[in-house]
Amino acid sequence: MATNSTAAAAAKCPGPMKATSQGAFQGENPLDYALPLAILQICLVVVVTRGLAYLLRPLRQPRVIAEIIGGILLGPSALGRSQKFLHAVFPAQSMTVLDTLANLGLLFFLFLVGLELDISAIRRTGKKALAIALAGISAPFALGIGTSFAFRATIVKGAPQGPFLVFMGVALSITAFPVLARILAELKLLTTDLGRMAMSAAAVNDVAAWILLALAIALSGSGSPIISLWVLLTAAGFVIAICLFLRPVLAWMARQSPEGEPVKEVYICATLAIVLAAGFVTDTIGIHALFGAFMVGIVVPKDGPFAGVLIEKVEDLISGLFLPLYFVSSGLKTNVATIKGAKSWGLLVLVIANACLGKIGGTVITSMLVKIPVREAVTLGFLMNTKGLVELIVLNIGRDRKVLNDESFAIMVLMALFTTFITTPIVMAIYKPARKTVPYKRRTVDCGPGDAGDSSELRVLACFHSNRHIPTLLNLVEASRGTGRRRLTMYAMHLVELSERSSAISLVQRARRDGMPFFNSKEQRTEQMVVAFEAFQQLSSVRVRPMTAISDLDTIHRDVIDSAGDKRAAIVVMPYHKALHHDGSFQSLGSAYHAINKRVLREAPCSVAILVDRGLGGHAQVSAKNVSFSVAALFFGGPDDREALAYATRMAEHPGVAVTLARFQPSRLQSEEEDAADEKAVEAFKAKVGAVKDGSVRFEEPEAYTREQVVETLESLAGFNVFVVGRMPPTAPLVERPDELGPVGSYLVSQEFRTSASVLVIKRYDPATNPKSKRFDPKARPPAATEEDVLDEEMGSSAAVVPVTRSPMSDIA
């Protein structure tokens, strides 16, 4: 009898899973063993969450929304309704392993969140942001306490009163700092006054939320109030010990890791071990292991490469693989089916209304009291209502501590999902900052007689993706500076892709704090890049203004276009979308980079040049005294070629640059006005040839009429250092499928043309063909078009270009 009861108990309560199986060929099911089952769970979670993130991307939703929805879909609310699926993929005996991995990922993610929070910046929070943060916490906290009475009277009657009140207040008053930062970046508001206000208030809110959560956890213990008091006092002692004893140790490690040198592996290992040890201590105290990891992240010094290397080592594995498990773990506990009946749905509406009313209402009223305009105040309220991972942490801890039951847990998860989901579309609808257009005349290098007011200074917006482009960029600008009376100002814009990584937000904060766009945790060349620009400005007559554009690649062209207008640039220099390899061939960086160039070419408020970098002057900047470049300007005719000729003429003014103009006959007829303008430009250059006595400026008119003759002539010019050519000259394409470089420029970068010369392809600004110009004429077309332009015109500019709000860039004025 005892044997039968033991067998029955074993059947009801299966024993712990073994780690690995001997394989299917040995007759064993891998899903009955912990390791292969965990691998399957991780892969399934990654596929589902990343797939949802891709589907939600057109709606501009942060990835946390996809991860929450993915967790709910895999749980009993959707796929988990199939008991066969649930028992096969997420059996009860595997949940301990899954929860352990999820919480380990959460532990290190909270360490990354602590690294993102700069306490020194929070101390500098202005009075306005501090008032908004306090109102954004107190008002929803009070409404959360009021809501808790409705919950306790209906669906959670047995919950302890004190802890439940605090948990509800914290759940409604939280603002997710990392999620808010990414939403602001998506909407291009991160570097605006509104974005700075929201970030500052959210940082204060985040710290306050963790303090309140610690209080809620301490109160939720099963012991007496005296024990809760001991938990709080011990936690306060732990925080003091971290600041007094651990912070100097981490600061010493940071000092031992100077810029330009690799961080020692022992320091990385020691820091990660400290994170785990701190988590163990706080778990022993009774306030959850994640608090220890969060505190260690806060006290790590943010200056220098140490914090960046820590983020680089941890973030991809944790954020990509282990953290999504936490959302699935939460989703497996969320059963939407438990919300049934008018009473439950009424409570859901009530908690959503109170969450929005408290957070949005408190923020809006306080913002208006501190003299913030109504529209900005309402926008700020919706931004501060963003929830995210911290919300799920609060709810999961409340559920584990028996403060929340399944129904109240599901209601609160849906509230967090709804409030975060509506943030982006509502902010996009209500807040459209007025664009401060700066009217200016000089939008081309070739300034006409009416542009004399702007002709004394040429403003160039030079963009680059990585530090390898900097030497060529500086050497090109140095060669283009002209004479002393005609100054040149260079706005060097670092184009940085904003990802879901924690390091992206750290990069944003570093750029905002320092104004320098040169922080790159992977390459550790910060100091060299800063020195290169500073030295160039001191040794040359060119003024350099560094800038940063940190955006999604789909919208980063707006940063370039808006900054060109703000800085009154005459020309924008964009890097080619292909990178040079050691064998001389080019490999594409991706279709996203190609699309950036096409959008800038179409919408820029000035002329645009595409720079094909083949190492002009070598891998280092050439000083002004040692510049010795030979430039070949190819002229077929048309406005783009005239703009290219104007740029080459300016280069000819440099004493170390020799310019040769090779004029070809156009293969397509032009209007009489265009022919007259071409002749005038060429005659002006010929006059310059006669004025220069040292022979550094030359004019050639080769007899090349057919494609073969043109190609042969170009091959004879292969020894030049730089080719300058217009994007759309009136000539037949020299390659089968020209890209954004046009019919001639595409040949100069093809494998058929063997040269080490860099290529500058220039498109002249034409308001009639610019969709953003008031003088835009939909019927106007360039004199020649590539296949890419034809396809873009068939798709329509609205399909190819994503409309987004304007983004003032962080820069050094």
Side-chain angles (χ1 to χ4, degrees), residues 122-196:
I122 294 178
R123 291 199 203 101
R124 297 192 299 269
T125 299
K127 294 181 180 179
K128 288 185 179 181
L130 185 60
I132 291 170
L134 293 177
I137 296 171
S138 56
F141 192 88
L143 284 177
I145 292 176
T147 308
S148 67
F149 289 108
F151 271 74
R152 292 189 76 249
T154 51
I155 62 174
V156 282
K157 295 180 179 179
Q161 182 174 358
F164 188 73
L165 296 181
V166 179
F167 266 104
M168 288 295 292
V170 173
L172 267 64
S173 59
I174 281 175
T175 297
F177 176 79
V179 180
L180 175 64
R182 284 168 177 82
I183 289 176
L184 288 170
E186 276 284 328
L187 299 178
K188 299 194 177 297
L189 299 174
L190 198 55
T191 54
T192 62
D193 291 337
L194 181 72
R196 294 187 184 96

Side-chain angles (χ1 to χ4, degrees), residues 117 119 122 137 202-213 294 298:
L117 278 178
I119 296 298
I122 294 178
I137 296 171
V204 175
N205 192 305
D206 221 20
V207 174
W210 287 111
I211 296 173
L212 292 172
L213 180 57
F294 180 69
I298 284 181

Side-chain angles (χ1 to χ4, degrees), residues 291-610:
F291 281 96
F294 180 69
M295 283 304 304
V296 174
I298 284 181
V299 299
V300 170
K302 305 302 187 289
D303 296 327
F306 189 61
V309 172
L310 285 172
I311 291 174
E312 180 188 343
K313 299 291 184 184
V314 175
E315 65 177 339
D316 286 339
L317 181 65
I318 297 302
S319 300
L321 292 182
F322 289 108
L323 187 63
L325 294 180
Y326 191 79
F327 293 96
V328 171
S329 177
S330 301
L332 292 172
K333 303 169 188 173
T334 305
N335 189 356
V336 179
T338 60
I339 308 175
K340 51 189 175 183
K343 185 188 297 182
S344 295
W345 288 106
L347 287 173
L348 175 61
V349 173
L350 175 67
V351 74
I352 290 176
N354 282 349
C356 295
L357 180 63
K359 181 68 77 171
I360 299 172
T363 302
V364 170
I365 293 172
T366 308
S367 300
M368 293 176 66
L369 289 176
V370 295
K371 310 298 183 184
I372 293 178
V374 176
R375 181 172 292 184
E376 282 81 352
V378 174
T379 304
L380 200 55
F382 277 99
L383 288 171
M384 296 298 290
N385 199 31
T386 303
K387 311 294 182 187
L389 177 63
V390 182
E391 177 82 4
L392 284 186
I393 294 172
V394 173
L395 299 179
N396 274 284
I397 293 176
R399 189 181 183 279
D400 294 340
R401 297 294 178 103
K402 309 299 182 185
V403 176
L404 300 175
N405 60 17
D406 289 348
E407 189 174 356
S408 60
F409 179 81
I411 288 174
M412 298 301 290
V413 168
L414 291 183
M415 178 273 292
L417 184 63
F418 178 80
T419 53
T420 305
F421 189 89
I422 65 173
T423 299
T424 299
I426 289 181
V427 170
M428 289 180 66
I430 66 176
Y431 186 68
K432 297 177 180 178
R435 176 164 181 168
K436 299 177 182 178
T437 55
V438 181
Y440 67 103
K441 295 181 179 179
R442 185 162 191 182
R443 297 174 183 265
T444 60
V445 178
D446 182 17
C447 55
D451 301 331
D454 290 323
S455 62
S456 60
E457 181 183 42
L458 177 68
R459 298 189 174 199
V460 178
L461 177 63
C463 303
F464 61 97
H465 295 304
S466 67
N467 60 356
R468 69 172 178 269
H469 297 138
I470 293 178
T472 294
L473 206 56
L474 294 182
N475 291 331
L476 177 69
V477 171
E478 166 60 30
S480 314
R481 61 180 170 84
T483 59
R485 62 181 180 82
R486 298 172 62 191
R487 299 188 307 275
L488 187 147
T489 298
M490 170 189 179
Y491 296 96
M493 176 180 279
H494 190 189
L495 304 181
V496 182
E497 178 185 9
L498 178 75
S499 66
E500 293 283 348
R501 292 174 155 190
S502 299
S503 58
I505 302 304
S506 300
L507 174 58
V508 169
Q509 297 194 30
R510 173 86 174 246
R512 284 175 53 196
R513 182 173 67 247
D514 300 341
M516 288 293 183
F518 314 120
F519 173 62
N520 189 323
S521 61
K522 289 188 174 181
E523 297 184 14
Q524 297 299 326
R525 296 181 181 176
T526 303
E527 191 66 29
Q528 294 92 320
M529 296 170 75
V530 173
V531 169
F533 278 93
E534 289 181 348
F536 176 68
Q537 183 169 237
Q538 292 176 2
L539 299 176
S540 174
S541 60
V542 177
R543 293 188 297 176
V544 181
R545 299 292 182 266
M547 304 170 65
T548 310
I550 305 174
S551 292
D552 187 89
L553 292 182
D554 289 338
T555 60
I556 202 169
H557 66 283
R558 293 302 325 161
D559 298 317
V560 178
I561 292 166
D562 293 339
S563 296
D566 290 342
K567 303 305 179 186
R568 294 182 293 161
I571 187 169
V572 175
V573 180
M574 296 293 298
Y576 189 41
H577 76 276
K578 295 181 180 180
L580 182 68
H581 279 222
H582 58 84
D583 61 352
S585 63
F586 285 93
Q587 183 172 353
S588 176
L589 298 174
S591 59
Y593 293 92
H594 193 186
I596 293 170
N597 286 357
K598 291 197 292 183
R599 290 163 178 162
V600 172
L601 282 166
R602 184 184 301 114
E603 297 187 22
C606 59
S607 295
V608 179
I610 305 295

